Amino acid sequence: MKISIFEDYDQLSIHVAEALLKVVLEKPDAVLCLATGETPIGTYAQVVEQARVGEVDFSKVRFVALDEWVGVPPENSGSCHFFLHKHLFEPLSINPKQVYLFDGMAKNIENECRLMDDHIAKLGGIDFMIVGIGMNGHIGFNEPGIPEDRYAHVVDLDEMTQSVGQKYFEQETILKQGITLGMQHLMEAKSVMVIANGSKKSAIVAQAIEAPISTQLPASLLRKHRDSMFFIDAAAASRLSKIKP
Ligand code: GLP
């Protein structure tokens, strides 16, 4: 596992974007899985800017979802669907055929998981993932305690995830369940980058990197991945005991 620490959020965003653009330059039809949330907003703005100046062609890239809130429709601005369209797919003029996301409103939500598993298998697996880390160490909606051999699944959200998740919504929203790729998808992806910024993430980042690897801390499992990276800013790195920014 590689750890890179950047001076601040802007530098972090620039370097994460650079890594993503490199993947697409090397493999124009790469399969990407990109997180939603506050952390990657700066990265996606950088990516859109680079694409505008014509540096990288996204017309063949395939995108798959990481996660979604169950019961939240795509037109709700707090949904992962809405976020990805707003920050990436619309500004990059991505063809809907290039995108496969979870439907949080699906009547048969278990079937929605199997459809995603089949879709990723048909694409030949995921080339590159950018994931955030939840305040409880979750990745996607892989909450503490989830077995590491899961593919896509539906999960009852932790109380912390339910309350922290309110920040994405304009009004208070019931967030009881999530649908997510599983840790097995993450372990099988060719390359996974975990990103984090700000002092509020420093304690969980320190645990993910330095505490014993455990399913109680899903982010720590990525230390077993053959090509995983933690890209974090100095504030998020401030509680690491072994590495000083
Ligand atoms: C959310 C999402 C994750 C996201 C993480 C961090 O609950 N399920 O996919 O990466 O938590 O979010 P943020 O970047 O807003 O801190």
Side-chain angles (χ1 to χ4, degrees):
M1 182 196 57
K2 187 182 149 199
I3 301 169
S4 297
I5 299 168
F6 303 95
E7 194 183 336
D8 56 22
Y9 181 66
D10 285 348
Q11 283 303 311
L12 170 70
S13 301
I14 288 167
H15 285 88
V16 179
E18 209 169 76
L20 191 157
L21 293 165
K22 188 164 173 274
V23 170
V24 178
L25 275 173
E26 286 172 0
K27 187 175 179 188
D29 64 346
V31 178
L32 304 183
C33 176
L34 305 176
T36 59
E38 287 175 344
T39 316
I41 289 177
T43 295
Y44 300 157
Q46 287 288 334
V47 167
V48 167
E49 191 55 38
Q50 295 297 320
R52 278 214 181 104
V53 296
E55 302 272 321
V56 187
D57 175 17
F58 277 83
S59 64
K60 294 189 182 63
V61 171
R62 282 85 51 85
F63 296 90
V64 294
L66 173 63
D67 53 12
E68 185 57 278
W69 307 98
V70 170
V72 173
E75 59 275 13
N76 184 319
S77 60
S79 70
C80 300
H81 189 288
F82 191 97
F83 175 100
L84 288 169
H85 277 83
K86 177 179 168 190
H87 292 282
L88 277 174
F89 303 153
E90 278 165 27
L92 291 175
S93 303
I94 299 297
N95 186 317
K97 286 184 186 147
Q98 294 171 253
V99 178
Y100 193 90
L101 304 181
F102 285 119
D103 176 4
M105 298 300 286
K107 286 209 179 76
N108 187 340
I109 203 82
E110 287 298 336
N111 188 51
E112 192 66 11
C113 298
R114 301 296 72 80
L115 290 173
M116 179 61 87
D117 292 346
D118 291 348
H119 183 76
I120 291 174
K122 270 192 211 121
L123 293 176
I126 301 169
D127 291 300
F128 184 59
M129 299 182 75
I130 294 177
V131 296
I133 176 169
M135 295 297 287
N136 62 356
H138 75 204
I139 297 288
F141 283 135
N142 288 277
E143 297 281 39
I146 198 77
E148 53 192 298
D149 60 356
R150 291 277 178 94
Y151 286 101
H153 59 277
V154 180
V155 59
D156 291 337
L157 298 170
D158 252 25
E159 266 175 41
M160 189 190 282
T161 305
Q162 293 180 32
S163 64
V164 172
Q166 296 300 329
K167 70 178 175 174
Y168 307 119
F169 292 86
E170 281 164 20
Q171 53 202 43
E172 206 178 322
T173 305
I174 297 168
L175 303 171
K176 287 282 178 217
Q177 287 189 310
I179 180 168
T180 184
L181 297 192
M183 291 311 295
Q184 188 66 31
H185 279 123
L186 282 122
M187 295 312 284
E188 290 178 11
K190 288 196 190 86
S191 182
V192 179
M193 178 180 278
V194 184
I195 61 172
N197 73 287
S199 55
K200 69 176 189 295
K201 291 282 175 78
S202 61
I204 198 67
V205 163
Q207 285 183 53
I209 294 175
E210 296 181 345
I213 294 174
S214 159
T215 53
Q216 289 306 321
L217 193 54
S220 71
L221 298 170
L222 293 171
R223 282 151 55 194
K224 298 196 284 184
H225 192 286
R226 64 191 181 286
D227 185 13
S228 64
M229 294 151 270
F230 277 75
F231 269 36
I232 54 184
D233 73 356
S238 59
R239 294 203 206 186
L240 290 174
S241 61
K242 295 173 192 143
I243 310 158
K244 287 288 163 210

